[in-house]
Amino acid sequence: MKLEKLLREHFDFHQPEIKKLNGYDNFNYLIENDGKQYIFKTYGENTELLSLVHAENDVLLHLQSTPQDKYATPIPFSDGTLVKCLKIDGKMNICRMLTFLDGQLFGEATHSKKLFESLGTSLAQLDLQLRSTSNYVIKSKESEWILQHLLLNKKFVQDIPSAKDRSTISYFFQQFEENIVPLFPQLRKQIIHNDANEWNMLVTDGKISGIIDFGDLAHSFLIGELAITIAYTCYDKDDPLEWAGTILKAYHKVLPIQEIELSVLYYLVAARLCTSVCNSAHSKKINPENEYAYSSEKPIWRLINKWLTINPIAAENSFRKAVELPTEKPKTSDHLIRKRHETISPILSLSYTKPINMVRSAFQYMYDAHGNTYLDAYNNIPHVGHSHPKVVEAGQKQMAKLNTNTRYLYDELTAYAEKLLSRFPDSLNKVFFVNSGSAATDLAIRLAHAHTNHSKLMVMEHGYHGNTQIGTDISDYKFNHKKGQGQKDHVLKATIPDTYRGQHTKNDGSAGKLYAEEVLHQIKESESPIAAFISEPVVGCGGQVPLAKGYLKEVYPAIRKQGGVCISDEVQTGFGRLGDYFWGYEMHEVIPDIVIVGKPMGNGHPIGAVITTTKIAGSFEKGVEFFSSFGGNPVSCAVGLSVLNVIEEEELQKNAKEVGDYYHSLLRELQNEHECIGDVRGSGLFIGVEIVKNRETKEPDTKLANYIKNELRNRNILIGTDGPFDNVLKTKPPLCFSKENAEQVVSQLGEILRK
Ligand code: PMP
């Protein structure tokens, strides 16, 4: 039957005007008849849908008791029924007629405080009315769009094209599981509209005049009503919390919100945003033509990414303030420091003049107890990002399954060992797992002694390799400190081949050669052969100093020639951080005999390793058994494997290169403006900025560097200082760091320097 005929037969509409409207997955028609407007809704024939349409009509009828006319009225067919299954253009449809509500769509209206207040009030009035209705069909509904069923959306995550975006969504899903699911029983539930978005609300004279489309009605969290409306009405706002506060305040006046509801709101808003992008990604995949399905995707993504920069505590405090509830005062730093020192030695120093009480973190952001968000431009341990969902999940799952020591056979060990070794050249084909960079250093030195039977060790000036006795013995950074133990007899020290501050500055290979000559001289002068030469490719504690070009190419063969082995400490530089190179030794065009890895390897989970050749491992095997209680346990292996997978999936080495190059260029521009920036160096996202009093004399400015570090901290940016004069700003952020993040650091740094 043609629609015109249907309308004549069933509604007695003669020559109505019919306009087809867009729909999400069904068609609606705007009908004008005798000067009155209606919406004729059609749905594909489906028994479940039929009962839902009936349920929706029941609720709309319930709402007719309201003195306002904000909701559509179901119009009966000529036989009195409200819903019918009819054939239109040869296809069976569920059909129903509603009155049409006039007004401007919220999405197209001018947004004012008054409008947002009216939105809060209108939703509270609606929810108050919905409170007194119940419907078993709605109650039993399960859908991706109902907040308690959020995790049904997990199946759509794979449809999101970018791996980084997928991780952001998975992060919020995981936080929902951790923080919200346990509170389910305490959250009020009732029938709610469940989709008060910007296209489902009508505006007249700057106020809400209608709420339409009850097709998503759900028995869900009452606070979900607000979470959903906040998600869709605040996504384009510079300060979404302020606009959200206006809605909450007005809602609260009519229908008081409970404290626990405010405590879950941050994650529920995120949940709805995630639902939206998951479903649009899925729709895009199965029906690339349906523009309606993903028309609002971009701004939603913008809010999701902005949401990450908001500390959940700040959000909750803002929501509490809006409804005039007091906010919790966290303990002062002084109190926490005092408490810490009751049990913890002050030899474990705290960062910054004003230490920070951290409580949470997400990717490149860290959240403190006061509601501040810090941009982490400093931590290279959370390599793929703080609280990365894949790493967290890998650890959680394996911890719940099996954790044991290496004296049993389990697949996780070999799977990880194979994957890790696949990132090394063929000669480096044996791995020993331990729990830290220090333990790896310790073992590497033992391997060198066992293999060479020599005792002398050559170390790098300003180098640091660990906190064990061996680690301290070979770390100039420690033993040469004014409080240090001094240089042991078996330790030789190579001058750092620093082309900025050192004696030779031409970084075209000539300086590297000259620095290497000094090593060759020491080798010659040594009364006994050297067991090992150990160095980082870029000396972190030395102030992010890349070894001069060509240096290792001279030193490695000389060490080997006299019977020693070459160790590369990749604890800081490894796993793609340098952008162009997965391992730092690659930048020096050498292959070490032993590699030490740690820090980023487990994204914060304590894991380290020594990678070496079959031959060196063979020499070690002749000695006493090596055993580490925790090294290589299934949980560590699962975590380590997940880190490698994320680096690949999210192309983080490439990101380190692109963002690192950009970051570097911004810093160089700043250097042109400021005499105090003596040098900008490093590679990828491993950068040092040397602060000096005078560019010519290169006199270090320790005071200024420390001032900058603390001033950046006051501006919520985390950065460190290091180097022999503690005048080098160190920045080595999680590899998910973005170009915008780099701009933020450099612009703040610029402001501080201009001051
Ligand atoms: N080597 C280097 C280059 C390091 O930077 C560190 C830690 N700062 C270590 C080894 C020791 O690692 P860990 O702290 O895990 O023992």
Side-chain angles (χ1 to χ4, degrees):
M1 192 183 323
K2 285 262 172 257
L3 185 56
E4 288 82 352
K5 187 162 171 245
L6 182 154
L7 295 175
R8 197 174 334 115
E9 271 182 26
H10 290 280
F11 293 94
D12 205 21
F13 287 178
H14 294 274
Q15 293 183 321
E17 259 183 51
I18 301 172
K19 195 173 152 199
K20 200 170 182 180
L21 305 172
N22 269 333
Y24 194 82
D25 48 17
N26 59 287
F27 288 112
N28 298 327
Y29 302 87
L30 175 62
I31 314 282
E32 196 160 340
N33 189 64
D34 273 349
K36 285 196 191 132
Q37 288 183 308
Y38 304 87
I39 287 285
F40 187 66
K41 294 194 139 212
T42 69
Y43 311 80
E45 204 192 20
N46 162 325
T47 330
E48 198 188 340
L49 210 54
L50 183 63
S51 47
L52 281 169
V53 174
H54 276 293
E56 188 185 330
N57 269 350
D58 288 348
V59 172
L60 281 177
L61 290 175
H62 172 81
L63 291 175
Q64 300 309 309
S65 56
T66 170
Q68 318 136 31
D69 48 2
K70 280 198 181 132
Y71 323 113
T73 312
I75 301 292
F77 288 73
S78 43
D79 64 359
T81 53
L82 290 171
V83 181
K84 266 190 192 301
C85 290
L86 295 169
K87 226 177 206 170
I88 305 173
D89 296 334
K91 188 175 156 250
M92 275 309 267
N93 284 282
I94 301 168
C95 311
R96 66 178 183 139
M97 187 77 85
L98 297 173
T99 53
F100 175 77
L101 297 181
D102 215 354
Q104 192 182 14
L105 289 168
F106 187 97
E108 289 167 356
T110 308
H111 288 184
S112 65
K113 201 163 171 241
K114 187 176 109 185
L115 177 61
F116 275 62
E117 278 167 6
S118 155
L119 171 59
T121 309
S122 304
L123 286 177
Q125 285 164 347
L126 171 63
D127 288 339
L128 262 183
Q129 263 191 293
L130 289 174
R131 211 183 224 189
S132 57
T133 185
S134 165
N135 185 297
Y136 75 93
V137 177
I138 294 174
K139 217 166 180 174
S140 58
K141 193 166 148 186
E142 272 191 20
S143 138
E144 291 83 8
W145 294 93
I146 301 176
L147 283 168
Q148 66 267 35
H149 303 308
L150 173 75
L151 302 176
L152 290 176
N153 289 291
K154 275 190 177 179
K155 60 183 177 290
F156 299 144
V157 174
Q158 64 192 25
D159 298 334
I160 297 171
S162 142
K164 183 176 175 295
D165 288 344
R166 288 197 294 274
S167 292
T168 305
I169 299 306
S170 300
Y171 164 80
F172 279 118
F173 284 168
Q174 201 169 62
Q175 295 300 319
F176 185 89
E177 282 182 278
E178 290 295 317
N179 299 294
I180 308 303
V181 172
L183 300 178
F184 274 10
Q186 294 172 60
L187 298 173
R188 282 185 289 181
K189 273 164 92 180
Q190 65 161 65
I191 291 185
I192 60 169
H193 180 283
N194 199 43
D195 195 21
N197 71 42
E198 75 278 42
W199 309 115
N200 284 343
M201 284 172 302
L202 302 170
V203 179
T204 308
D205 297 332
K207 286 184 165 181
I208 299 294
S209 57
I211 298 175
I212 56 172
D213 193 354
F214 283 67
D216 283 280
L217 280 171
H219 191 263
S220 183
F221 308 126
L222 179 58
I223 191 67
E225 192 84 290
L226 286 163
I228 291 162
T229 210
I230 289 169
Y232 291 115
T233 58
C234 299
Y235 64 63
D236 56 346
K237 304 286 179 278
D238 288 338
D239 189 354
L241 292 184
E242 198 174 321
W243 290 88
T246 306
I247 304 172
L248 292 177
K249 188 173 178 181
Y251 186 100
H252 186 71
K253 272 191 195 148
V254 180
L255 203 175
I257 307 168
Q258 296 177 348
E259 289 193 52
I260 189 163
E261 291 172 330
L262 294 170
S263 78
V264 298
L265 193 50
Y266 170 87
Y267 289 113
L268 290 187
V269 171
R272 182 52 163 224
L273 296 168
C274 292
T275 303
S276 176
V277 292
C278 278
N279 281 273
S280 51
H282 182 65
S283 302
K284 211 186 246 182
K285 194 176 146 194
I286 57 170
N287 185 5
E289 263 84 64
N290 186 356
E291 280 179 26
Y292 180 83
Y294 49 87
S295 53
S296 58
E297 197 186 21
K298 268 201 187 126
I300 295 271
W301 271 115
R302 225 175 296 133
L303 184 54
I304 291 173
N305 287 314
K306 190 180 198 124
W307 217 239
L308 277 181
T309 70
I310 298 173
N311 183 331
I313 294 173
E316 186 176 347
N317 284 345
S318 167
F319 301 147
R320 289 179 71 93
K321 271 191 198 136
V323 302
E324 292 169 14
L325 277 173
T327 55
E328 206 183 309
K329 288 259 173 301
K331 294 195 177 77
T332 63
S333 295
D334 286 349
H335 171 89
L336 293 172
I337 294 167
R338 234 178 295 121
K339 185 107 190 95
R340 171 176 164 123
H341 289 155
E342 281 172 18
T343 51
I344 305 294
S345 163
I347 201 161
L348 298 166
S349 67
L350 284 158
S351 291
Y352 308 111
T353 314
K354 280 193 283 171
I356 311 170
N357 176 197
M358 290 298 186
V359 289
R360 285 185 171 278
S361 54
F363 302 102
Q364 65 272 51
Y365 304 106
M366 299 185 80
Y367 309 128
D368 77 3
H370 296 262
N372 297 303
T373 300
Y374 296 86
L375 173 62
D376 189 355
Y378 185 36
N379 269 290
N380 57 343
I381 299 174
H383 191 64
V384 300
H386 290 272
S387 312
H388 193 290
K390 285 237 162 119
V391 182
V392 173
E393 189 185 358
Q396 282 177 335
K397 275 199 170 151
Q398 189 58 44
M399 219 182 281
K401 188 177 156 199
L402 172 75
N403 202 11
T404 183
N405 63 54
T406 45
R407 287 199 175 114
Y408 296 98
L409 293 169
Y410 48 89
D411 294 340
E412 290 78 11
L413 180 68
T414 39
Y416 181 45
E418 279 169 20
K419 178 93 184 172
L420 183 64
L421 290 175
S422 75
R423 304 298 319 217
F424 287 94
D426 290 347
S427 60
L428 294 168
N429 57 7
K430 287 283 179 290
V431 55
F432 295 87
F433 290 113
V434 287
N435 318 118
S436 66
S438 301
T441 295
D442 211 281
L443 178 59
I445 297 298
R446 286 181 58 203
L447 288 173
H449 286 316
H451 185 64
T452 62
N453 276 322
H454 302 318
S455 59
K456 280 220 152 41
L457 299 167
M458 183 174 274
V459 306
M460 181 55 65
E461 186 182 14
H462 306 313
Y464 176 69
H465 304 288
N467 60 24
T468 62
Q469 187 57 58
I470 290 182
T472 314
D473 289 350
I474 62 167
S475 297
D476 179 52
Y477 183 71
K478 291 286 173 191
F479 70 67
N480 197 29
H481 189 274
K482 55 181 184 292
K483 295 185 194 165
Q485 63 184 24
Q487 188 168 339
K488 294 221 163 133
D489 289 344
H490 68 288
V491 175
L492 301 172
K493 182 161 76 178
T495 304
I496 188 165
D498 176 353
T499 54
Y500 172 70
R501 197 170 272 289
Q503 203 186 343
H504 314 295
T505 53
K506 253 188 145 180
N507 202 15
D508 58 358
S510 58
K513 262 205 170 109
L514 289 168
Y515 284 116
E517 269 173 24
E518 190 240 28
V519 172
L520 305 194
H521 179 72
Q522 283 204 63
I523 292 175
K524 210 165 122 205
E525 293 295 301
S526 176
E527 77 274 10
S528 58
I530 295 162
F533 168 86
I534 179 168
S535 174
E536 298 162 77
V538 181
V539 185
C541 293
Q544 314 284 78
V545 179
L547 303 182
K549 259 191 205 127
Y551 175 77
L552 289 184
K553 264 175 123 169
E554 300 285 328
V555 172
Y556 272 24
I559 291 289
R560 284 172 182 148
K561 197 166 160 211
Q562 52 90 66
V565 297
C566 302
I567 306 175
S568 187
D569 182 340
E570 300 280 348
V571 166
Q572 296 267 352
T573 48
F575 294 93
R577 171 162 297 280
L578 299 181
D580 282 323
Y581 316 99
F582 199 79
W583 305 114
Y585 61 77
E586 293 165 23
M587 98 194 254
H588 298 292
E589 298 169 19
V590 292
I591 296 178
D593 306 302
I594 300 175
V595 176
I596 297 169
V597 289
K599 275 189 197 287
M601 195 176 177
N603 212 47
H605 179 87
I607 175 168
V610 178
I611 293 99
T612 190
T613 62
T614 307
K615 238 177 154 178
I616 294 174
S619 302
F620 190 59
E621 283 155 22
K622 290 181 194 139
V624 290
E625 187 207 23
F626 172 75
F627 175 69
S628 162
S629 295
F630 303 128
N633 72 60
V635 171
S636 297
C637 290
V639 167
L641 187 63
S642 73
V643 171
L644 286 174
N645 287 337
V646 173
I647 294 171
E648 281 172 16
E649 282 160 21
E650 296 186 18
E651 298 183 283
L652 291 176
Q653 186 182 344
K654 192 167 151 229
N655 195 61
K657 160 84 182 143
E658 287 171 6
V659 176
D661 284 355
Y662 180 64
Y663 197 6
H664 215 96
S665 71
L666 294 179
L667 287 164
R668 283 222 177 272
E669 275 171 33
L670 200 66
Q671 187 186 23
N672 292 337
E673 284 171 44
H674 298 278
E675 176 77 15
C676 66
I677 300 183
D679 192 24
V680 177
R681 57 178 175 251
S683 173
L685 285 171
F686 197 63
I687 297 175
V689 179
E690 178 125 11
I691 304 297
V692 292
K693 289 191 175 148
N694 177 316
R695 262 214 211 143
E696 293 307 311
T697 63
K698 300 181 185 172
E699 187 186 345
D701 199 338
T702 307
K703 215 168 139 193
L704 179 58
N706 276 279
Y707 172 77
I708 294 168
K709 171 176 74 177
N710 281 294
E711 197 49 35
L712 280 170
R713 175 252 177 265
N714 294 340
R715 292 160 186 247
N716 296 2
I717 292 172
L718 306 179
I719 230 170
T721 53
D722 217 331
F725 310 104
D726 199 28
N727 70 320
V728 180
L729 301 175
K730 281 215 293 200
T731 173
K732 41 189 182 124
L735 297 195
C736 50
F737 210 64
S738 69
K739 288 187 175 171
E740 294 73 35
N741 296 147
E743 283 165 7
Q744 193 186 338
V745 177
V746 179
S747 90
Q748 290 298 319
L749 182 57
E751 268 187 32
I752 293 166
L753 293 179
R754 276 188 286 280
K755 245 174 65 177

